[in-house]
Amino acid sequence: MATQGKNLSHYDKDQLPDAAAMRIGIVVSEWNDDITENLYKGAVETLIDCGVDQFNIHRMNVPGSFELIYGCKTMQHRSYPVVNRRTKKPLDAIIAIGNVIRGETAHFDFVCQGVTQGIKDLNLNKTRIPVIFCVLTDDTHAQSAARSGGQHGNKGSEAAIAAIKMAAIKNDH
Ligand SMILES: Nc1c(NC[C@H](O)[C@H](O)[C@H](O)CO)[nH]c(=O)[nH]c1=O
Ligand SMILES: CC(=O)[C@@H](O)COP(=O)(O)O
């Protein structure tokens, strides 16, 4: 089902695992920040609505979507200082937030392919911390706006739900 057939912000809290003790990292690209900030807002609001403590949500900014790979890897390996200094416990999941909009050249295709493959690879490494793909790859700004708090909901909210579900899988195995 394409996004047009569903609302990205719809979820049922009663169907989710307990997220009260979860620690979530969010890496945010600064390219198209009008879109990525809305995605971040949607993700944080949903995480808190589902029981995640706001002090257990850790943010990192990177220049563009291609740098999401390095930023998420840094968080995974716990070298990032923001990870809970007191408990020194690793994160339970990471959300990668970006927005790539097609331009005049093939750069769009290479950035999208690179980020997709890079984030896929991060889900295969030894840290076992899942990285959620919250990268809008659209032909127009209007499509991105519709998916970051517009008529189709907010992909940031969808990513927050995925992060909670995957964190539970990580912690149960
Ligand atoms: N055109 C977009 C980019 N391009 C920048 C790359 O992501 C990267 O930062 C640069 O190539 C340096 O390594 N990034 C986006 O996130 N969105 C775009 O639309
Ligand atoms: C995805 C991009 O890097 C793209 O927005 C850059 O635009 P252009 O292809 O016109 O240089």
Side-chain angles (χ1 to χ4, degrees):
M1 177 188 293
T3 298
Q4 289 186 340
K6 70 190 292 274
N7 186 297
L8 295 167
S9 298
H10 175 74
Y11 59 89
D12 180 354
K13 282 194 282 189
D14 295 334
Q15 300 301 315
L16 294 176
D18 179 7
M22 290 183 180
R23 295 165 298 279
I24 308 293
I26 307 180
V27 183
V28 185
S29 163
E30 294 167 341
W31 253 83
N32 301 323
D33 61 357
D34 60 323
I35 301 296
T36 59
E37 289 303 323
N38 281 339
L39 292 171
Y40 175 76
K41 180 172 180 285
V44 169
E45 288 177 350
T46 300
L47 288 171
I48 293 172
D49 183 50
C50 294
V52 176
D53 186 321
Q54 65 176 329
F55 297 107
N56 283 336
I57 300 172
H58 303 286
R59 175 172 173 161
M60 176 200 290
N61 292 341
V62 294
S65 289
F66 192 82
E67 285 74 40
L68 289 170
I69 302 164
Y70 185 86
C72 291
K73 185 190 77 169
T74 300
M75 276 198 170
Q76 281 183 319
H77 289 271
R78 298 174 53 178
S79 59
Y80 189 62
V82 174
V83 170
N84 191 317
R85 290 187 180 87
R86 182 171 56 80
T87 66
K88 297 298 184 192
K89 291 184 178 177
L91 295 169
D92 295 298
I94 297 168
I95 300 171
I97 290 180
N99 175 224
V100 192
I101 297 176
R102 189 180 300 276
E104 295 177 355
T105 70
H107 197 226
F108 171 86
D109 299 310
F110 292 105
V111 171
C112 293
Q113 288 169 11
V115 175
T116 303
Q117 292 305 315
I119 290 174
K120 180 265 291 179
D121 291 344
L122 292 177
N123 279 285
L124 302 174
N125 70 27
K126 65 178 184 301
T127 68
R128 297 183 56 252
I129 298 174
V131 181
I132 307 304
F133 186 77
C134 186
V135 181
L136 289 176
T137 54
D138 299 317
D139 289 319
T140 65
H141 185 274
Q143 288 176 346
S144 298
R147 291 159 175 78
S148 55
Q151 68 182 79
H152 296 315
N154 193 319
K155 200 160 190 68
S157 177
E158 178 194 57
I161 298 304
I164 289 170
K165 291 179 177 178
M166 294 310 294
I169 290 173
K170 163 187 171 287
N171 294 333
D172 292 348
H173 294 82

